[in-house]
Amino acid sequence: MPIEKFVTLESTYIPLPIENVDTDQIIPARFLKATTKEGFGKNLFCDWRYEKDGSPKKDFVLNDPTYSGEILVAGKNFGSGSSREHAAWAIAGYGFKVVVSSYFADIFRNNSLNNGVLPVVVSEPFLNKLFECVEKDPKTKLKVDLEKQSITNLATGDTESFEINSYKKNCLLNGYDDIDFLLSIKPEIEAYEKQTVKF
Amino acid sequence: MAGKTLFDKIWDAHVVKSIEDGPNVLYIDRQFVHEVTSPQAFAGVKERGIQVFRPNQTFATPDHNIPTKDQHLPIQEELSRMQVATLAKNCEDFGVTQFGLGHPYNGIVHVVGPELGITQPGMTIVCGDSHTSTHGAFGAIAFGIGTSEVEMCLSTQCIMQPKPKKMRINVEGTLKPGVTSKDIALYIIAKLTTGGGTGYFVEFAGSTIRSLSMEARMTLCNMSIELGARGGMIAPDEVTIEYVKGREYAPKGEAWNKAVAYWRSLPTDTDAVFDKEYTYKAEEIDPMITYGTNPGMGVAITGNIPSLDSIDKASHKTYLKSLEYMGFAPGEKMIGKKVDYVFVGSCTNGRIEDLRMFADAIKGKKKASNVIAWIVPGSRQVEKQAKEEGLIEILEAAGFELRQPGCSACLAMNDDKIPAGMVAVATSNRNFEGRQGPGARTLLASPLTAAAAAISGVITDPRSIN
Ligand code: SF4
């Protein structure tokens, strides 16, 4: 189904300076029993976010009103583990449009892009600076420009460029998805099938 | 021109179209489907008003959510029951073969595919599950995909994929007694870390790998995803061909001969070049166990938890958080730690050889009274074979019970949850926080190490129990 177009975003951000955040933390397995894509946002980081009785844990960053924004900035190697796309639905459902880290697991990166969430890889120093800045001033903003493939820390003015292949970039800029594309080349797929040997 | 790798040969033969500075349109030979990651994909196909493009290249089995007791009764928990029912309905609506609950071929998707001969060398195989890498053991390109890609594959039998880089990991020499392919996997992940393979597709090679049985190869490829790799694979050889031969969905007659000739052409050319290459010695690998909350946090069972000064300063916070969750401290030794649960099963170590290995190790001994053990076969066929081979009697005599097949405590979506704070030695593949139930503490190990823990009640070197 069509995804939301993404061109630029200027927003405050929420820091999560933990490394190797895996998809079991992003959305624990017990929430995978749904048969639709709705409603995952409220269970994002569930076990870190809520006490057993369902009350919010005070010390978890999503429960801290000091921090807000549509960008999540996470420690190295974000999204490893299970291939569950529910992790991307939870991130998107919560309202994040961009996730910044110095490293993403492959499947998570793909899943995010397929759901209109842009994963931005930055260098370690840039990432550490982001954690520093937001600690000093929670209202620090980031600017992400997909067209230019650049990310700017508006507190320091530091800018880095990030990679995204031009196909995925076009999909996001225009808000269309892979299935639309694949369905449009069905004759080529059928031609491929005819020329391959099947056992 | 340099030769081609096993990976290149299969990948290149499946590219329908390449998009400039973009992904390839990759043709998929087989898709496996289970109940958890497919409902939204089938719903998408329905919404678009189209059909499943190649239903006879798609196979489904419910596994993640199903109980491992009383499978003949309706599933108690409503959401699980609904997901399993939704899978059955979707398969029926779209003409997809399903091995439903109670079917003699039901089981964990990555156990079922190989044992039925659906998995074959030279194929591209996907499933909405990261441990699809298991099927790479046959010399196939097999990897996990997200639900959007499940929908792509249902709709067009293709997915969009950038070509990953290539890594070869060689293991040479003879394994020491008591060391299994699970230990090889945990050893490599401890060396390279859980991010060490990111962006790569791994080929496992070398004399040690060639000497492994098909099932042991599956265990290793299964864990390749825990390196962060897109997948792992092993070149097909006589062991592979012998394993596939005669299985339900394997090619027959003239087609078999043609297939075998093709499979023999797949191994990596001697002059092929990899983007990265590592070599390990089999003799240096000991039985391994994890102590932390990712599969890379593993040590030789006789070893100690790394002290704080051996850890990179920037990672101290994460490291201590992980150990705190486990209830361990830096520098402690692993041997002798108390164990509350033992779980033998999953797509990593839930095949017949694993059950045999476990049964052999506990034969004539008794389960420790402080341990609760769940022995869960990977499929109905594994269960059947365990019965035929008399493994059940051995287990029962030692105080163990064989449950019914499914993913079970590997991810604890059903009732098989390890209670908070309890320590479980598990033959599965992930020790993340809460993976086996909220607050559960998981130590990953081989079936032999699980057996040693189950009969002694504490972490024990499997080489010391016989
Ligand atoms: S056994 Fe575990 S890893 Fe394997 S498919 Fe099931 S849940 Fe996934």
Side-chain angles (χ1 to χ4, degrees):
Chain A
M1 295 295 107
I3 54 174
E4 218 177 297
K5 286 186 190 179
F6 185 107
V7 185
T8 60
L9 176 69
E10 199 178 304
S11 168
T12 50
Y13 56 96
I14 299 184
L16 187 70
I18 300 174
E19 296 177 1
N20 305 317
V21 173
D22 57 72
T23 50
D24 279 78
Q25 306 325 318
I26 299 173
I27 186 88
R30 58 185 186 282
F31 296 112
L32 308 191
K33 297 189 183 188
T35 49
T36 70
K37 293 183 186 179
E38 316 306 323
F40 285 97
K42 65 175 188 293
N43 292 318
L44 174 69
F45 298 120
C46 185
D47 291 348
W48 288 346
R49 200 165 146 199
Y50 305 110
E51 300 288 356
K52 282 215 180 61
D53 63 4
S55 62
K57 288 189 185 178
K58 287 229 171 48
D59 59 349
F60 187 62
V61 66
L62 292 191
N63 298 324
D64 184 345
T66 325
Y67 302 104
S68 63
E70 293 176 301
I71 303 177
L72 177 70
V73 177
K76 185 164 83 181
N77 193 23
F78 187 81
S80 58
S82 143
S83 64
R84 62 188 67 153
E85 194 155 324
H86 311 68
W89 299 334
I91 298 270
Y94 184 84
F96 288 120
K97 301 240 165 4
V98 171
V99 186
V100 178
S101 179
S102 57
Y103 213 62
F104 288 96
D106 286 341
I107 303 185
F108 177 79
R109 188 192 331 226
N110 239 328
N111 286 341
S112 305
L113 286 166
N114 283 334
N115 288 280
V117 173
L118 177 66
V120 175
V121 179
V122 296
S123 69
E124 299 260 337
F126 190 91
L127 185 68
N128 292 336
K129 196 77 197 169
L130 289 182
F131 290 135
E132 253 173 57
C133 288
V134 80
E135 202 175 323
K136 277 199 213 112
D137 177 10
K139 294 288 161 251
T140 306
K141 281 190 174 176
L142 265 172
K143 183 172 180 202
V144 179
D145 184 328
L146 178 58
E147 187 61 58
K148 293 202 189 108
Q149 295 181 216
S150 71
I151 176 166
T152 308
N153 177 341
L154 295 178
T156 61
D158 293 341
T159 295
E160 279 196 356
S161 59
F162 61 87
E163 302 256 330
I164 178 169
N165 71 55
S166 54
Y167 168 78
K168 274 291 172 200
K169 181 171 166 180
N170 272 325
C171 284
L172 272 183
L173 287 172
N174 297 303
Y176 61 68
D177 72 9
D178 287 345
I179 303 180
D180 298 327
F181 173 78
L182 286 173
L183 287 170
S184 75
I185 62 158
K186 223 166 186 177
E188 288 176 64
I189 299 171
E190 280 163 334
Y192 167 88
E193 283 179 322
K194 285 216 182 71
Q195 54 89 34
T196 52
V197 207
K198 284 224 181 75
F199 304 115
Chain B
M1 207 179 85
K4 281 180 143 193
T5 66
L6 164 67
F7 178 82
D8 288 330
K9 291 182 194 181
I10 303 172
W11 182 279
D12 295 350
H14 287 83
V15 174
V16 174
K17 188 185 178 80
S18 38
I19 297 167
E20 221 188 299
D21 185 32
N24 290 153
V25 175
L26 193 71
Y27 189 81
I28 300 302
D29 294 315
R30 296 286 179 273
Q31 172 164 229
F32 294 109
V33 174
H34 63 82
E35 78 277 25
V36 177
T37 54
S38 69
Q40 293 86 354
F42 277 113
V45 174
K46 275 188 191 157
E47 258 169 61
R48 283 174 207 262
I50 55 177
Q51 289 300 312
V52 170
F53 184 50
R54 295 290 178 245
N56 57 1
Q57 287 168 239
T58 310
F59 295 85
T61 174
D63 52 6
H64 282 63
N65 251 316
I66 58 178
T68 54
K69 282 198 161 224
D70 295 331
Q71 287 187 350
H72 60 290
L73 300 176
I75 299 176
Q76 289 290 314
E77 208 248 336
E78 191 192 331
L79 289 172
S80 301
R81 188 170 65 242
M82 207 169 87
Q83 249 187 4
V84 171
T86 304
L87 178 66
K89 170 90 169 71
N90 283 329
C91 290
E92 199 183 305
D93 288 354
F94 288 109
V96 169
T97 302
Q98 193 216 189
F99 310 120
L101 196 56
H103 189 287
Y105 294 163
N106 176 247
I108 305 172
V109 62
H110 311 308
V111 176
V112 168
E115 74 188 1
L116 289 177
I118 300 170
T119 302
Q120 294 165 26
M123 284 183 167
T124 47
I125 299 173
V126 295
C127 174
D129 187 288
S130 45
H131 292 94
T132 308
S133 57
T134 313
H135 308 263
F138 289 81
I141 292 181
F143 53 89
I145 55 176
T147 300
S148 298
E149 290 161 314
V150 174
E151 188 180 334
M152 279 175 221
C153 193
L154 289 173
S155 313
T156 64
Q157 207 58 39
C158 288
I159 58 170
M160 312 283 292
Q161 283 290 309
K163 192 172 181 179
K165 289 178 283 183
K166 288 157 294 181
M167 178 187 289
R168 180 159 62 188
I169 299 179
N170 306 292
V171 187
E172 302 285 356
T174 312
L175 289 172
K176 293 190 286 200
V179 178
T180 70
S181 70
K182 178 63 161 288
D183 303 303
I184 304 179
L186 290 173
Y187 177 87
I188 294 173
I189 302 163
K191 289 266 179 210
L192 295 180
T193 79
T194 53
T198 305
Y200 290 89
F201 215 96
V202 176
E203 179 178 343
F204 295 101
S207 59
T208 317
I209 306 299
R210 281 197 300 279
S211 73
L212 297 176
S213 71
M214 221 40 237
E215 296 199 354
R217 292 178 189 187
M218 285 188 244
T219 303
L220 179 60
C221 289
N222 172 281
M223 295 286 291
S224 59
I225 183 77
E226 309 308 336
L227 269 174
R230 205 70 185 86
M233 63 200 309
I234 295 172
D237 59 10
E238 295 314 306
V239 176
T240 323
I241 293 167
E242 212 27 61
Y243 182 97
V244 177
K245 195 173 182 177
R247 289 184 188 262
E248 177 109 12
Y249 288 87
K252 308 264 150 55
E254 195 37 42
W256 170 257
N257 296 333
K258 278 205 190 118
V260 168
Y262 172 57
W263 299 345
R264 290 210 166 103
S265 74
L266 291 174
T268 296
D269 298 333
T270 44
D271 55 345
V273 186
F274 288 81
D275 299 296
K276 221 172 210 170
E277 189 146 7
Y278 296 94
T279 300
Y280 299 105
K281 288 198 186 100
E283 308 87 75
E284 285 173 8
I285 307 175
D286 284 301
M288 297 284 295
I289 192 151
T290 65
Y291 55 84
T293 52
N294 75 57
M297 301 174 82
V299 283
I301 191 150
T302 48
N304 292 14
I305 298 173
S307 62
L308 207 52
D309 37 277
S310 67
I311 304 286
D312 185 31
K313 196 124 203 224
S315 304
H316 277 189
K317 204 170 155 194
T318 308
Y319 183 65
L320 289 173
K321 181 176 177 289
S322 168
L323 288 191
E324 187 192 318
Y325 178 87
M326 295 302 294
F328 297 159
E332 286 178 355
K333 71 173 197 297
M334 291 305 290
I335 298 265
K337 283 196 179 302
K338 188 160 163 284
V339 173
D340 306 297
Y341 280 76
V342 167
F343 168 59
V344 177
S346 87
C347 58
T348 314
N349 283 120
R351 280 171 282 267
I352 191 68
E353 283 183 12
D354 303 308
L355 296 187
R356 262 187 223 139
M357 213 190 289
F358 183 85
D360 212 44
I362 55 108
K363 191 172 184 172
K365 303 189 174 69
K366 286 275 180 239
K367 180 180 80 63
S369 55
N370 63 310
V371 168
I372 296 177
W374 293 333
I375 318 293
V376 184
S379 71
R380 294 270 289 206
Q381 293 215 81
V382 171
E383 181 188 20
K384 183 163 166 263
Q385 200 172 343
K387 280 187 185 147
E388 284 165 7
E389 293 185 11
L391 300 185
I392 307 235
E393 287 76 26
I394 299 175
L395 291 173
E396 281 175 358
F400 297 93
E401 165 204 23
L402 190 71
R403 297 170 81 100
Q404 289 176 305
C407 294
S408 180
C410 174
L411 90 169
M413 270 186 87
N414 66 356
D415 292 334
D416 307 344
K417 292 181 175 54
I418 310 290
M422 295 283 140
V423 173
V425 173
T427 67
S428 44
N429 42 56
R430 286 187 173 147
N431 50 355
F432 300 147
E433 285 182 29
R435 171 77 177 186
Q436 294 197 284
R441 295 164 166 167
T442 304
L443 312 181
L444 301 175
S446 77
L448 286 181
T449 302
I455 56 176
S456 58
V458 293
I459 303 292
T460 301
D461 189 332
R463 295 166 295 196
S464 69
I465 61 166
N466 278 325

